[in-house]
PDB file of all heavy atoms in Angstrom:
ATOM      1  N   LEU Y 456      30.583 212.308 -14.753  1.00  0.00           N
ATOM      2  CA  LEU Y 456      30.157 211.705 -13.545  1.00  0.00           C
ATOM      3  C   LEU Y 456      28.985 210.525 -13.812  1.00  0.00           C
ATOM      4  O   LEU Y 456      29.088 209.459 -13.331  1.00  0.00           O
ATOM      5  CB  LEU Y 456      29.624 212.646 -12.470  1.00  0.00           C
ATOM      6  CG  LEU Y 456      30.478 213.303 -11.452  1.00  0.00           C
ATOM      7  CD1 LEU Y 456      29.845 214.506 -10.750  1.00  0.00           C
ATOM      8  CD2 LEU Y 456      30.954 212.312 -10.640  1.00  0.00           C
ATOM      9  N   LYS Y 457      27.951 210.992 -14.653  1.00  0.00           N
ATOM     10  CA  LYS Y 457      26.957 210.094 -15.020  1.00  0.00           C
ATOM     11  C   LYS Y 457      27.519 208.750 -15.654  1.00  0.00           C
ATOM     12  O   LYS Y 457      27.143 207.580 -15.352  1.00  0.00           O
ATOM     13  CB  LYS Y 457      25.964 210.667 -15.797  1.00  0.00           C
ATOM     14  CG  LYS Y 457      24.837 211.417 -15.093  1.00  0.00           C
ATOM     15  CD  LYS Y 457      23.825 211.968 -16.070  1.00  0.00           C
ATOM     16  CE  LYS Y 457      22.675 212.625 -15.232  1.00  0.00           C
ATOM     17  NZ  LYS Y 457      21.598 213.321 -16.082  1.00  0.00           N
ATOM     18  N   ALA Y 458      28.381 208.945 -16.607  1.00  0.00           N
ATOM     19  CA  ALA Y 458      29.011 207.963 -17.454  1.00  0.00           C
ATOM     20  C   ALA Y 458      29.804 207.088 -16.482  1.00  0.00           C
ATOM     21  O   ALA Y 458      29.836 205.810 -16.582  1.00  0.00           O
ATOM     22  CB  ALA Y 458      29.836 208.479 -18.637  1.00  0.00           C
ATOM     23  N   SER Y 459      30.558 207.670 -15.671  1.00  0.00           N
ATOM     24  CA  SER Y 459      31.388 206.890 -14.580  1.00  0.00           C
ATOM     25  C   SER Y 459      30.570 206.050 -13.649  1.00  0.00           C
ATOM     26  O   SER Y 459      30.815 204.984 -13.371  1.00  0.00           O
ATOM     27  CB  SER Y 459      32.335 207.930 -13.822  1.00  0.00           C
ATOM     28  OG  SER Y 459      33.160 208.589 -14.787  1.00  0.00           O
ATOM     29  N   GLN Y 460      29.447 206.666 -13.224  1.00  0.00           N
ATOM     30  CA  GLN Y 460      28.601 205.943 -12.309  1.00  0.00           C
ATOM     31  C   GLN Y 460      27.904 204.727 -13.026  1.00  0.00           C
ATOM     32  O   GLN Y 460      27.811 203.722 -12.385  1.00  0.00           O
ATOM     33  CB  GLN Y 460      27.528 206.923 -11.630  1.00  0.00           C
ATOM     34  CG  GLN Y 460      28.089 207.707 -10.607  1.00  0.00           C
ATOM     35  CD  GLN Y 460      27.207 208.924 -10.050  1.00  0.00           C
ATOM     36  OE1 GLN Y 460      26.209 209.181 -10.777  1.00  0.00           O
ATOM     37  NE2 GLN Y 460      27.513 209.513  -9.029  1.00  0.00           N
ATOM     38  N   HIS Y 461      27.601 205.104 -14.337  1.00  0.00           N
ATOM     39  CA  HIS Y 461      26.880 203.978 -14.958  1.00  0.00           C
ATOM     40  C   HIS Y 461      27.805 202.873 -15.180  1.00  0.00           C
ATOM     41  O   HIS Y 461      27.590 201.677 -15.088  1.00  0.00           O
ATOM     42  CB  HIS Y 461      26.378 204.593 -16.354  1.00  0.00           C
ATOM     43  CG  HIS Y 461      25.873 203.550 -17.351  1.00  0.00           C
ATOM     44  ND1 HIS Y 461      24.684 202.821 -17.151  1.00  0.00           N
ATOM     45  CD2 HIS Y 461      26.389 203.003 -18.527  1.00  0.00           C
ATOM     46  CE1 HIS Y 461      24.529 201.982 -18.115  1.00  0.00           C
ATOM     47  NE2 HIS Y 461      25.545 202.114 -18.937  1.00  0.00           N
ATOM     48  N   LEU Y 462      29.238 203.241 -15.576  1.00  0.00           N
ATOM     49  CA  LEU Y 462      30.218 202.267 -15.734  1.00  0.00           C
ATOM     50  C   LEU Y 462      30.453 201.539 -14.490  1.00  0.00           C
ATOM     51  O   LEU Y 462      30.564 200.224 -14.517  1.00  0.00           O
ATOM     52  CB  LEU Y 462      31.523 202.969 -16.298  1.00  0.00           C
ATOM     53  CG  LEU Y 462      32.652 202.024 -16.768  1.00  0.00           C
ATOM     54  CD1 LEU Y 462      32.035 201.296 -17.894  1.00  0.00           C
ATOM     55  CD2 LEU Y 462      33.807 202.984 -17.200  1.00  0.00           C
ATOM     56  N   LEU Y 463      30.420 202.250 -13.299  1.00  0.00           N
ATOM     57  CA  LEU Y 463      30.619 201.608 -12.089  1.00  0.00           C
ATOM     58  C   LEU Y 463      29.533 200.579 -11.751  1.00  0.00           C
ATOM     59  O   LEU Y 463      29.683 199.454 -11.225  1.00  0.00           O
ATOM     60  CB  LEU Y 463      30.745 202.695 -10.962  1.00  0.00           C
ATOM     61  CG  LEU Y 463      31.028 202.068  -9.528  1.00  0.00           C
ATOM     62  CD1 LEU Y 463      32.376 201.358  -9.565  1.00  0.00           C
ATOM     63  CD2 LEU Y 463      31.005 203.204  -8.564  1.00  0.00           C
ATOM     64  N   GLU Y 464      28.241 201.102 -12.110  1.00  0.00           N
ATOM     65  CA  GLU Y 464      27.104 200.189 -11.812  1.00  0.00           C
ATOM     66  C   GLU Y 464      27.205 198.907 -12.552  1.00  0.00           C
ATOM     67  O   GLU Y 464      26.976 197.753 -12.260  1.00  0.00           O
ATOM     68  CB  GLU Y 464      25.842 200.976 -12.156  1.00  0.00           C
ATOM     69  CG  GLU Y 464      24.590 200.192 -11.729  1.00  0.00           C
ATOM     70  CD  GLU Y 464      23.409 201.104 -12.186  1.00  0.00           C
ATOM     71  OE1 GLU Y 464      23.532 202.273 -12.336  1.00  0.00           O
ATOM     72  OE2 GLU Y 464      22.269 200.496 -12.357  1.00  0.00           O
TER      73      GLU Y 464
END
Side-chain angles (χ1 to χ4, degrees):
Chain Y
L456 269 171
K457 275 188 177 176
S459 298
Q460 281 169 348
H461 176 69
L462 193 58
L463 184 60
E464 191 181 338

